[in-house]
Each structure stands twice: as C-alpha cells, then as structure tokens.
Amino acid sequence: MIRKILIANRGEIAVRVIRACAEMDIRSVAIFSEADRFALHVKKADEAYGIGSDELAGYLNPHRIVNLAVETGCDAVHPGYGFLAENPELAAACAARGLIFIGPEADTIRLMGDKSEARRAMAAAGVPITPGSAGNLESLEAALAEAARIGYPVMLKATSGGGGRGIRRCDNPQELKQNYRRVISEAQKAFGRAEVFLEKYIPAPRHIEVQVLGDHYGNVVHLYERDCSIQRRNQKLIELAPSPQLTAEQRQQVGRLAVQAARAAHYRNAGTVEFLFSATGEFYFMEMNTRIQVEHTITEEITGLDIVKEQIRIADGQPLSFRQEDVQINGYAMQFRINAEDPKNDFLPSYGRITRYYAPGGPGVRIDTAIYTGYEIPPYYDSLCAKVIVRGRTWEELLARGRRVLGDIAIGGVRTTLPFYRKILEHPEFQSGRFDTGFLQEHPELLNYSLKQGHDEAALAVAAAIAAHVGL
Ligand code: ADP
Ligand code: ADP
Ligand code: MG
C-alpha cells in the first residue's frame, strides 16, 4: 500500500502530484535545488529535502533520488514530466531498491523513448505509422537516399527527441544537407544521443493524441483525444479536448488505435499515444509519451477523472475501477500554456519577480501553477509559469469563457504569452475549430497585439487594489 511518495520534479507538476497525494491521504516528499528553496512545491509538500546547489544535477540524478526516497521511508516515486520521467534508469533504480515507480516498466520507457524502435513495434502491431526510414540513418548519404525514396518534404528527427526539439522539416536535398549535422548536434546536446531518422512530412496535419490508462491485469482504456495543433516550432501552446475536428466515427477509430498501440506495448499506467491526422482523414502513429503530460488537465475536465490519482492507484496494484463504456465526454475543455516569454521578442524567456498575480475565478476555470505574488522565476528551468484551463458545455461557451478568463487573469513583472492567446481567441479560423499545425506560422499578424489597451492594465489595477486592501 502506497503511503508516502517522493516527487522527483518541481514546478506546477510537482504541486499537482502533491494535491493528488493530499486527497488520497498519502504523505508527499519534495526535493529542491538551491534555486528552488522558495518554490511552491517545497512549501506545499509534507516534507522537503535539498538535493544540492546545482540547479539541475539533483533533479537529474536517479540514484540520489532513489537513495533519498529510501532514507525518508517512501514507498513510491512520481517522476512528473520532463527531467527523469522518460529515463528508464529512474524506473530501473526504483525497482532495484524495492520502490514503486509511478509509471510504466523501464523496458516500456526504453522502447518508446526510441522513436525508431517505437515505430517498428507499432507497425508490427498493425498501427499505421508515417512513411519513413526503416531505422536510424547511418550517414548523410543514407539520409539523402532515403529521402529520395520517401519523397520531399521530409521531417528529420532525433530518435530520442522530445519537447519539440531535434526536429527539422527539409523541403529538398539542399535543406537536408544543411539540417543533418544541425539535428545531430542538437540531439547530442539535448538528449545525449545522436541518432536520427526520417519521416514523410504530412501536409497540413492536425496533432491528435489519445490518453490511455493500463493496469497490471491487462485492462487498457482510453480517455479520448486531445487536439494539440496550435503549436509554435513543434511545441504545443493551446490544447483542446475533445478535438473539434473529428467526427464521432474518427473519435472511436483513433481511440481504438491508441488502445491497440498500448496493448501491443503491454502498457501500464498513464500514457499518451500521439498521432498525426492528415487533411485526407488518416491517422498515423507518431510517438508515445510514457508519462503524465502537461495537457492531461483537459482530459480530466471532460471526463471528470483524476489521472494522477489513477496513476497512483494503478502503481499500487489496484485494477482500473471503470470500463471503457463508463468513460463519457462532457463538454469541451481548453488549456493555455502561459509561458514566461515575450512573443514579440521571438518568445525570448522573461524571468524575474512576479510583482502581481491575480487568479481568475467563476465557473469552468482551473489554474495549475506554482507561481505566487513575490515569487521569482528562476532562469534555469522551463518557462511554463501557469496552465489556465477552461471548460464549457459547448464549443461556443468554451470560446466565450476562454475570452472572459484570459481577460480576468493578471500576471505582472514578467512578459507572458497571455496577450498573444487573447489575440488567437479572436481569430475566426481558431473560432471555427478548423486549424492545422501551421496555423500560427500562417498568421504572424497575431503578434500585433497591443499591451497598452489590453486587459492587463485593468486586471493589474484590480490586483493592486486587492493587494493594497489586504495590506501586502
Ligand atoms: P507534453 O508532451 O506533455 O505536451 P512537452 O513536449 O511540452 O510535453 O514537454 C514537457 C517537458 O518535458 C518540457 O520541459 C520538455 O522539455 C521536457 N521533455 C519532453 N520530452 C523530453 C525528452 N525526450 N528529453 C528531455 N526532456 C523532455
Ligand atoms: P516531440 O517528441 O518533440 O513531441 P513529435 O515527434 O511528437 O516530437 O513531433 C512534434 C510535432 O512536430 C508534432 O506535433 C507535429 O506538429 C510535428 N511533426 C512531427 N512529425 C511530423 C510529420 N511527419 N509531418 C508533419 N508534422 C510533423
Ligand atoms: Mg510529441
């Protein structure tokens, strides 16, 4: 029985896991670097331990984390996302020390962490994959030959890539030549591995992914799909659930494909099967993320399930408490990733002190964040500073609520992507619910928002008034 969990992460996802623990009467243990001494996850956990002065090393050291979990009497480790979440070494180190890793087995993580291997396994299981190279490319010459066979444009991808990094579109042999070295060195730097492979570029694709859950007894269910087509440089910014672009039949189809993929991988715990959905209506397996995802929130909002609690129950050996037919979609949900970045300055990270933070309220709003007024965003980590999630009974209500909520919230002291999202919400193509992954690139005018006349001023004035009232 899991009674105490070490959370091997920081930021909003650490806070999210702490909340699940609190509801399940499980003790939570936080870890922190020197830079995170005043972070919210440290304040919110039942116990917190420093893991060294280095900003990253502690969060990235599986053996140190596992030792600490054993020393502090934990039964389990939750990896969150990023850091060691998709590193099979943490899962293996937990197993070796008799700790429960809240995620799939190390072998599953290893298989899915290699995009080429994952493609091979999925193709063998009858799940459609994008046309591409059979395995990793040995040389530039091999890449050029494969690209000629597949046909341009192609996507050159790092086998171990993630977070939108290590991916380049190549429209001709010239571009492939230019990108080949670049992607290899990017991959070596970011992921410590230099293998690359090729996929055919699917024109005007939609990113459709399916949340799955598998227990120890062979039960696998899906919690329907998310549409993450609103991206910049292959990174998700706004996510929707369910996708406004699928017919009921396509929804069932992609759900079945995801379950087929998860079964083939003997998948346990929560995972996400990512697909590309072509303009001609085909689904292609792209990759599987073997962890909780940033956008799991919107699936929780439309299904009423708590995915983090389900992860913990599954890891604890409990069978899934519901069947596929029990999972119902209720309305629509949308998540905005509020990044501390300046969209007008090529999305340059904007770190510093949060001078004012005013959280919106009212029906259908959820904020997952680790910021607070006075918090200083350190420059060493991801720039995600809040997730704003809205829910509506209908697509129209969702859009109206999104506008209202983004008008309500205020974050002062750093630049954020908030005003950019307000502008996107006004765009007829976005409102139509029909867009592909090229949407933001095709609409550079969305960056022409005004900060002066925005809602920011009014909302910040409200925040200031409230702060003055309570004597902050
Ligand atoms: P999601 O798939 O949940 O939408 P993202 O792609 O936005 O997540 O990644 C979430 C976090 O995890 C980011 O900080 C990202 O840099 C990190 N991340 C994702 N994949 C990897 C990977 N393969 N290696 C290292 N970090 C990763
Ligand atoms: P990551 O591991 O960084 O999440 P993915 O393989 O999931 O990388 O791809 C990230 C994004 O890149 C996708 O959501 C999609 O927008 C784009 N992409 C990836 N492969 C293709 C492809 N073959 N054709 C068109 N777009 C693609
Ligand atoms: Mg992906």
Side-chain angles (χ1 to χ4, degrees):
M1 177 105 165
I2 296 179
R3 311 187 67 143
K4 192 167 177 182
I5 295 176
L6 183 142
I7 299 144
N9 218 298
R10 64 177 301 283
E12 71 83 21
I13 196 63
V15 173
R16 171 70 187 87
V17 178
I18 291 166
R19 288 184 168 137
C21 289
E23 290 181 24
M24 297 173 87
D25 210 17
I26 291 172
R27 268 187 89 75
S28 53
V29 175
I31 58 174
F32 61 95
S33 66
E34 204 48 45
D36 272 340
R37 184 165 285 277
F38 301 105
L40 196 63
H41 74 285
V42 176
K43 296 173 201 264
K44 283 210 172 287
D46 294 318
E47 297 169 29
Y49 299 93
I51 40 151
S53 57
D54 191 276
E55 295 85 19
L56 290 168
Y59 293 119
L60 291 172
N61 186 336
H63 296 285
R64 179 139 194 210
I65 287 169
V66 164
N67 280 339
L68 184 63
V70 171
E71 279 164 27
T72 54
C74 291
D75 320 293
V77 173
H78 195 299
Y81 57 70
F83 294 123
L84 296 172
E86 286 170 283
N87 183 328
E89 277 181 51
L90 178 62
C94 283
R97 300 291 298 276
L99 289 167
I100 295 172
F101 175 77
I102 303 177
E105 302 208 317
D107 284 343
T108 312
I109 299 175
R110 202 170 286 121
L111 171 71
M112 291 301 177
D114 183 319
K115 292 186 186 189
S116 276
E117 283 300 316
R119 280 164 56 81
R120 212 197 307 265
M122 290 302 118
V127 179
I129 61 172
T130 42
S133 53
N136 292 331
L137 301 162
E138 299 299 330
S139 62
L140 173 61
E141 289 64 41
L144 288 164
E146 278 294 277
R149 184 183 65 79
I150 298 162
Y152 289 93
V154 292
M155 280 299 239
L156 181 63
K157 289 192 178 184
T159 305
S160 50
R165 281 166 304 163
I167 301 183
R168 292 283 161 113
R169 172 179 162 160
C170 313
D171 286 344
N172 50 54
Q174 199 51 40
E175 284 184 15
L176 180 54
K177 273 182 204 159
Q178 285 164 2
N179 287 329
Y180 187 76
R181 288 277 144 234
R182 220 183 269 166
V183 171
I184 284 182
S185 83
E186 228 172 78
Q188 183 66 52
K189 238 186 279 164
F191 314 111
R193 286 182 57 188
E195 292 89 359
V196 293
F197 69 103
L198 282 173
E199 273 181 25
K200 183 157 187 67
Y201 184 85
I202 305 295
R206 272 68 47 83
H207 174 117
I208 303 289
E209 59 181 38
V210 179
Q211 176 72 57
V212 295
L213 290 174
D215 66 13
H216 286 70
Y217 312 98
N219 302 306
V220 179
V221 296
H222 70 79
L223 307 185
Y224 293 96
E225 84 284 0
R226 300 185 280 257
D227 187 324
C228 311
S229 304
I230 302 293
Q231 302 183 350
R232 174 181 174 271
R233 299 198 181 155
N234 306 316
Q235 291 175 356
K236 303 158 188 170
L237 292 181
I238 301 176
E239 298 106 341
L240 296 159
S243 172
Q245 326 211 42
L246 299 190
T247 63
E249 206 169 295
Q250 288 166 333
R251 174 160 300 116
Q252 297 304 331
Q253 187 194 347
V254 76
R256 274 197 305 270
L257 286 175
V259 169
Q260 191 180 332
R263 276 195 200 288
H266 303 289
Y267 199 82
R268 258 188 221 166
N269 216 283
T272 298
V273 188
E274 295 191 337
F275 295 90
L276 286 174
F277 179 49
S278 76
T280 46
E282 283 98 14
F283 292 104
Y284 298 100
F285 170 86
M286 189 162 47
E287 65 159 342
M288 180 164 194
N289 290 322
T290 53
R291 54 171 166 88
I292 191 80
Q293 262 182 307
V294 178
E295 60 276 20
H296 73 280
T297 55
I298 52 178
T299 299
E300 294 183 326
E301 294 305 310
I302 62 162
T303 61
L305 291 162
D306 183 322
I307 297 172
V308 178
K309 289 205 290 203
E310 292 300 333
Q311 285 192 291
I312 296 171
R313 286 193 194 109
I314 290 169
D316 210 4
Q318 296 178 36
L320 283 178
S321 60
F322 52 87
R323 291 160 306 174
Q324 187 65 60
E325 53 269 35
D326 301 325
V327 183
Q328 299 287 338
I329 298 180
N330 219 323
Y332 281 96
M334 172 160 55
Q335 172 176 281
F336 303 91
R337 295 191 190 198
I338 313 295
N339 296 334
E341 295 170 357
D342 184 2
K344 282 185 187 288
N345 193 0
D346 201 29
F347 291 79
L348 190 75
S350 171
Y351 301 107
R353 189 173 296 280
I354 305 285
T355 51
R356 296 272 184 246
Y357 169 54
Y358 174 72
V365 192
R366 163 177 172 182
I367 313 287
D368 280 22
T369 184
I371 67 164
Y372 52 85
T373 299
Y375 174 66
E376 178 127 9
I377 302 179
Y380 317 109
Y381 310 105
D382 205 276
S383 60
L384 179 72
C385 74
K387 306 194 300 202
V388 174
I389 301 112
V390 293
R391 176 168 35 84
R393 277 180 312 152
T394 61
W395 175 245
E396 289 69 32
E397 186 177 60
L398 183 78
L399 291 177
R401 191 160 278 160
R403 280 200 296 276
R404 189 267 293 171
V405 170
L406 290 194
D408 229 8
I409 186 172
I411 298 173
V414 295
R415 300 258 179 217
T416 74
T417 46
L418 260 171
F420 181 50
Y421 295 155
R422 292 185 188 120
K423 190 92 175 171
I424 293 173
L425 272 180
E426 300 300 332
H427 200 282
E429 196 174 320
F430 181 81
Q431 293 174 352
S432 76
R434 308 245 147 224
F435 38 73
D436 58 59
T437 58
F439 173 73
L440 292 181
Q441 203 180 348
E442 283 150 26
H443 295 287
E445 77 278 7
L446 288 166
L447 288 166
N448 296 333
Y449 55 82
S450 154
L451 279 175
K452 297 236 163 50
Q453 290 149 11
H455 306 260
D456 271 328
E457 302 294 302
L460 281 174
V462 172
I466 291 169
H469 181 70
V470 299
L472 280 175

